[in-house]
Structure formats: structure tokens, C-alpha cells
């Protein structure tokens, strides 16, 4: 049984569909440990043995081969594999570059995209079924992205547009894949919960280590990329980014993990929550703090009094258990200074706040003046491809709400945002899955990410996979529980027939 299951424990008859499902659920953990654990053992042992040059070239192909096998045979383990590829790939790249020399465009960084491409099989297979009511909002989103790609090719170039279309499209594909995999909902739910609970512990602990000690490969990377916004490459002078490439995605991964932690039961979630909450604070990402607060508010609002009391107790216990780390002088001073920058006059005097207000005032006309938009590839990391490896002028857009029309244009932006609005609205109107605690977590995750669109585009890249995958889980859960209810009614009628 999972932490979120609605069905009370009982022994299903041998050979029944539920018995087969239970056996598949039990297989998820050992299969994940064998294949996913084996992959990371090979990678880490190769790095430890000094074979980083070879790792640079076998990492992505091996990740794809294992992903393809798991995708076909063990879908839940495939999802675990994909999450950990997203979690740890930047870390592997930094270690390899530190030991074997810096490369501006590392093949290692293609691994999450290559493994994610496998889910296009699901989209192609079920493409005609996108006209179903709960899936139809994905149609205007895909149409908008299809229109923006050729515009991006014309304006930014083929390579930047082709790379950036992966950042825009693949997270949406992941949501569609999970939604259409509703028959495996229980397995996918368990695998995702396990991945994020373990991820909270591992990535949170590494982030705390990074703050106090800062590994040489992390310091090397900071010096090379010259990202001044994350501090200096020295212990206790860095905004931690963990195993990811910047504090923003790292903080959001931890925020999502904490929401899952707080919705789960047992001792492991609490243990995972301790390093996660400390690392989230040390990331100093105020937008992620606000997003986490919004997600927590939704969880409290959606629960009955009994579950609400348990959630409040879980939050309190997690904070209390984190106090020994939070009370360390270096940690408390760093976090307190950042919190003060959000309050009263200090918020208005904060340079980041001033820069963001200035950006809004100057960029809004550019964002809304082009009816067809600049196209995919005009913003973000893709600008490095057309700018000799350096982030272009539009590499960072301080508002996702403005970046969408700037990239997609008026029509594309309207189609894209209307699809998102329909999907998010539908998550709060679910009928059959209303008592499934994991759906409440999914809704909370979606909102926690969406509210941050004011600050930056949260619907693309790694953070986008968090948003779209949990939208997919909401749809899959509704279909799963509706099917369960229908089966139960059919069984009841059969039993009562003379």
C-alpha cells in the first residue's frame, strides 16, 4: 500500500487484476534498484576511477539504452530513471569537466532530453484521443508550440530553435504520457513518491554540504560560468544549487519534494524533510519559498479537519527536527538576511526587486508588440548556441507571463495560456479522485509552480517537467478511480443478480 491509497488493505484473490497489480507494484522497487542503481554505480565508479573522459561520451547513450528498456518493460522504473537523470546530470557534467577539462557544450547535458524523447511514443500512439474532454486542453498548447517553432527557426536559427523546442515540448509530452498511462497510475505514483523522497534526502544533504564545504568541481564550475548572482565560489558565500545548475530549479525540486513529504506517512518522509527544508532555505530563492507556501495553503484548504491537523503536526515536527541545523550561526544569518529583504522597506530597497520592477516597465512593450512573437529559441539557454556559448541578452527573462507572449506571439500565447488555465482549473474539479491524497499533492505542486510565473517561466525545462507531470498525475488519478468505481458497481450488480 502507498502512503496515499484510498483502498483499505485486504487480500485480493490470486490471479485477480488487483493481485497482478500488487505483484507489479512489488517489482517496481527491485527493478528500479537494479537498473537505475546499476546505471549510477557505473557512472560514479567510472568518475572515481578517473575515467571521466569516457564518461563524457557513454553517459547519454547508456542512459538512453536503459531508459528504452525500462520504458518498454517497466514503465514505473522508467519514470524513476528519468527523474534521477534530471536530478543528477548537471552534477555529473561538473565532475567530468573538472577532471577532464571544460566543454561549453557537453553531450552529458543531452541525457534528460534524450531519455524524455521516448515518451513521444505515447503521444503518437494516443494522438487521436487528445480530443477527449480531459485531454483536449493539451491540443491548443501543442498547436501554439508548433506555430512558434518555425518562427524561431527564422529568427533565432535552426540550432537554437531545435534545442529550445525540447525545453518547451518535452515537459508537456511528459504530462500527456503520465495521463494516458492511467492504468499504471498506482505504480507511477509509488515510483514518483519514492524518487522524490529519496531525492529530498540526497539533494538536500548535498546542498547543505555544498554550503559548508563547496566541492572543488562546484567551485570550478562557478568560476567558469561567472554566475555572480549565486555568490562567490567559497564555503558559506554561495547560494546553493545542489546537484543542479542553478538555485532556482534546485529550490523548486526541494519545494515539490517537501509537499510530497508532508502528504506522505511514515518515518522516511520526516527524515527526508529535514535536509530538504534547510537546503530550500539556503538556496535563498524567494520565489520558491512563496510557491511552497502557496502549495501548502492548497493542501490545507483541500483537506478535512482530521487530515489538516495531521498536516500541521507534520509541518511542525519537520521544522522542529530541522532546528539543530537551522540554528547554526552561518545558516541562520544567511537565511534571516534573505527573509528580511522580503519585508517592509527592505523589500523596496532590495536591488533584485528594483531590477525586476524596471524590467517589467521596459519589457512589457517588447513582449506584446509582436503579433507572431520571436519564436522558440529566442530566449533562455538556447541563446548560448547563437552567442558563442555565452548567455544572450534575452537569456534571462524575469517574467514567465511576459516571456510566453514574447516567444509565442498573440495567438500562440492565447492558445498556450488558455490550455494551461483549462488544465489547472480541471484539477480542482475532480470528482472520483477527490479523496486521493496524492491528487491533493499534485494540485498543490501545480499551483506552487504556477504562482511563480510572475518571476520567471516555470513551464519549460526541468521545472516544467515538475508542473506538467503532476498535471498528468491529476488526470491519470481521475481516470483510475473512475474505472475502479465502475468496476466496483459492475461487480456489485453481478453479485446481486439472481
Amino acid at each position: 500500500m502507498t502512503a496515499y491509497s484510498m483502498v483499505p488493505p485486504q487480500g485480493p484473490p490470486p490471479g485477480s487484476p488487483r493481485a497482478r497489480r500488487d505483484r507489479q507494484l512489488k517489482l517496481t522497487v527491485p527493478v528500479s534498484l537494479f537498473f537505475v542503481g546499476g546505471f549510477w554505480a557505473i557512472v560514479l565508479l567510472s568518475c572515481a576511477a578517473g575515467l571521466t573522459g569516457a564518461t563524457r561520451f557513454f553517459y547519454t547513450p547508456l542512459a538512453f539504452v536503459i531508459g528504452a528498456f525500462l520504458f518498454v518493460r517497466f514503465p514505473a522504473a522508467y519514470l524513476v530513471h528519468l527523474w534521477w537523470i534530471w536530478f543528477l546530470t548537471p552534477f555529473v557534467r561538473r565532475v567530468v569537466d573538472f577532471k577532464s577539462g571544460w566543454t561549453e557544450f557537453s553531450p552529458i547535458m543531452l541525457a534528460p532530453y534524450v531519455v524524455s524523447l521516448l515518451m513521444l511514443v505515447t503521444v503518437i500512439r494516443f494522438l487521436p484521443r487528445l480530443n477527449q474532454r480531459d485531454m483536449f486542453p493539451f491540443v491548443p498548447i501543442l498547436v501554439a508550440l508548433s506555430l512558434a517553432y518555425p518562427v524561431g527557426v527564422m529568427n533565432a536559427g535552426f540550432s537554437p530553435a531545435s534545442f529550445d523546442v525540447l525545453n518547451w515540448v518535452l515537459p508537456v509530452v511528459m504530462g500527456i504520457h503520465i495521463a494516458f498511462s492511467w492504468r499504471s497510475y498506482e505504480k507511477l505514483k509509488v515510483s514518483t513518491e519514492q524518487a522524490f523522497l529519496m531525492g529530498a534526502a540526497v539533494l538536500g544533504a548535498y546542498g547543505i554540504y555544498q554550503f559548508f564545504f563547496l566541492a572543488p568541481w562546484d567551485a570550478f564550475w562557478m568560476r567558469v560560468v561567472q554566475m555572480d548572482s549565486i555568490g562567490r565560489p567559497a564555503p558559506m558565500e554561495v547560494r546553493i544549487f545542489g546537484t543542479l545548475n542553478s538555485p532556482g530549479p534546485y529550490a523548486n525540486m526541494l519545494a515539490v519534494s517537501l509537499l510530497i513529504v508532508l502528504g506522505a506517512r511514515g518515518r522516511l518522509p520526516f527524515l527526508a524533510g529535514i535536509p530538504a527544508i534547510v537546503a530550500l532555505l539556503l538556496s535563498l530563492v524567494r520565489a520558491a519559498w512563496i510557491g511552497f507556501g502557496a502549495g501548502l495553503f492548497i493542501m490545507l484548504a483541500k483537506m478535512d479537519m482530521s487530515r489538516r491537523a495531521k498536516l500541521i503536526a507534520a509541518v511542525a515536527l519537520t521544522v522542529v527536527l530541522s532546528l539543530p541545523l537551522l540554528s547554526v550561526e552561518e545558516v541562520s544569518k544567511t537565511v534571516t538576511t534573505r527573509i528580511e529583504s522580503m519585508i517592509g522597506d527592505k523589500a523596496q530597497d532590495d536591488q533584485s526587486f528594483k531590477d525586476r520592477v524596471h524590467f517589467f516597465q521596459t519589457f512589457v512593450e517588447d513582449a506584446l508588440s509582436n503579433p507572431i512573437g520571436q519564436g522558440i529559441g529566442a530566449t533562455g539557454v538556447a541563446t548560448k548556441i547563437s552567442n558563442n556559448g555565452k548567455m544572450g541578452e534575452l537569456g534571462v527573462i524575469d517574467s514567465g507571463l511576459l516571456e510566453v507572449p514574447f516567444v509565442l506571439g498573440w495567438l500562440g500565447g492565447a492558445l498556450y495560456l488558455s490550455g494551461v488555465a483549462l488544465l489547472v482549473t480541471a484539477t480542482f474539479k475532480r470528482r472520483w479522485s477527490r479523496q486521493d491524497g496524492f491528487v491533493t499533492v499534485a494540485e498543490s505542486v501545480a499551483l506552487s509552480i504556477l504562482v511563480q510565473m510572475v518571476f520567471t517561466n516555470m513551464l519549460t525545462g526541468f521545472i516544467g517537467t515538475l508542473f506538467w507531470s503532476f498535471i498528468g498525475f491529476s488526470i491519470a488519478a481521475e481516470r483510475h478511480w473512475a474505472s475502479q468505481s465502475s468496476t466496483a458497481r459492475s461487480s456489485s450488480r453481478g453479485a446481486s443478480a439472481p
Side-chain angles (χ1 to χ4, degrees), residues 56-366:
R56 176 176 286 158
F57 295 103
F58 80 67
Y59 179 82
T60 296
L62 182 60
F64 176 78
V65 169
I66 292 177
F69 173 76
L70 295 176
F71 181 82
V72 174
R73 295 295 302 275
F74 302 100
Y78 164 77
L79 206 57
V80 174
H81 179 57
L82 179 57
W83 284 125
W84 280 101
I85 290 290
W86 276 112
F87 292 167
L88 297 182
T89 291
F91 167 80
V92 174
R93 186 259 176 96
R94 291 199 295 271
V95 173
V96 168
D97 282 359
F98 174 70
K99 294 189 175 183
S100 295
W102 169 259
T103 55
E104 191 67 50
F105 300 105
S106 173
I108 289 174
M109 296 303 294
L110 293 175
Y113 302 100
V114 170
V115 178
S116 297
L117 280 171
L118 291 163
M119 292 182 288
L120 282 172
V121 174
T122 304
V123 177
I124 295 170
R125 180 185 174 192
F126 292 104
L127 193 60
R129 299 189 190 179
L130 284 177
N131 64 354
Q132 295 169 349
R133 190 170 72 172
D134 56 349
M135 296 300 295
F136 185 75
F138 284 106
V139 174
I141 293 168
L142 293 176
V143 169
L145 298 179
S146 300
L147 294 173
Y149 174 65
V151 176
V153 171
M154 290 188 294
N155 289 337
F158 176 78
S159 295
S162 297
F163 170 77
D164 205 29
V165 77
L166 300 177
N167 279 315
W168 283 83
V169 172
L170 288 181
V172 180
V173 167
M174 189 170 183
I176 295 173
H177 167 77
I178 291 174
F180 276 128
S181 302
W182 62 270
R183 288 181 176 83
S184 301
Y185 168 70
E186 292 284 0
K187 292 186 291 181
L188 298 181
K189 179 175 73 172
V190 169
S191 64
T192 295
E193 176 190 295
Q194 291 170 341
F196 276 89
L197 291 182
M198 185 62 69
V202 174
L203 272 66
Y206 184 80
I208 295 170
Y209 171 84
Q210 190 176 64
F211 178 77
F212 284 104
F213 301 102
L214 192 66
W217 43 83
D218 292 334
F220 171 78
W221 178 79
M222 289 181 67
R223 285 191 289 267
V224 170
V225 299
Q226 297 179 343
M227 193 186 295
D228 298 332
S229 62
I230 61 175
R232 296 177 62 250
M236 292 177 285
E237 295 185 41
V238 58
R239 287 178 59 190
I240 62 172
F241 46 91
T243 60
L244 298 175
N245 261 350
S246 64
Y250 177 64
N252 276 280
M253 182 273 166
L254 293 172
V256 170
S257 299
L258 279 170
L259 291 173
I260 294 175
V261 162
L262 294 172
R265 300 173 184 170
R267 298 175 182 176
L268 177 61
F270 287 121
L271 295 177
I274 297 170
I277 195 169
V278 175
L280 175 61
L281 291 171
L282 284 173
S283 71
L284 306 182
V285 181
R286 293 171 293 192
W289 296 353
I290 293 171
F292 173 71
L296 188 59
F297 174 80
I298 287 296
M299 287 182 69
L300 288 168
K302 296 282 288 184
M303 292 177 173
D304 57 34
M305 288 301 296
S306 174
R307 293 169 62 203
R308 192 176 298 163
K310 291 178 182 178
L311 177 59
I312 293 172
V315 172
L317 182 58
T318 303
V319 171
V320 168
L321 293 174
S322 305
L323 284 178
L325 278 171
L326 292 173
S327 62
V328 175
E329 183 179 358
E330 291 82 359
V331 174
S332 60
K333 182 179 178 181
T334 301
V335 173
T336 301
T337 302
R338 191 66 167 177
I339 292 174
E340 289 175 348
S341 71
M342 302 170 64
I343 302 172
D345 294 337
K346 289 189 177 182
Q348 297 184 4
D349 293 335
D350 182 67
Q351 188 59 44
S352 177
F353 174 79
K354 292 179 180 178
D355 292 343
R356 200 173 295 275
V357 171
H358 176 72
F359 173 82
F360 263 83
Q361 293 171 342
T362 57
F363 190 72
V364 64
E365 184 177 349
D366 293 336

Side-chain angles (χ1 to χ4, degrees), residues 28-45 62 66 70 77 80-81 84 88:
T28 298
V29 174
V31 168
S32 298
L33 287 176
F34 182 78
F35 287 100
V36 181
F39 169 77
W40 286 108
I42 292 171
V43 171
L44 297 178
L45 287 173
L62 182 60
I66 292 177
L70 295 176
V80 174
H81 179 57
W84 280 101
L88 297 182

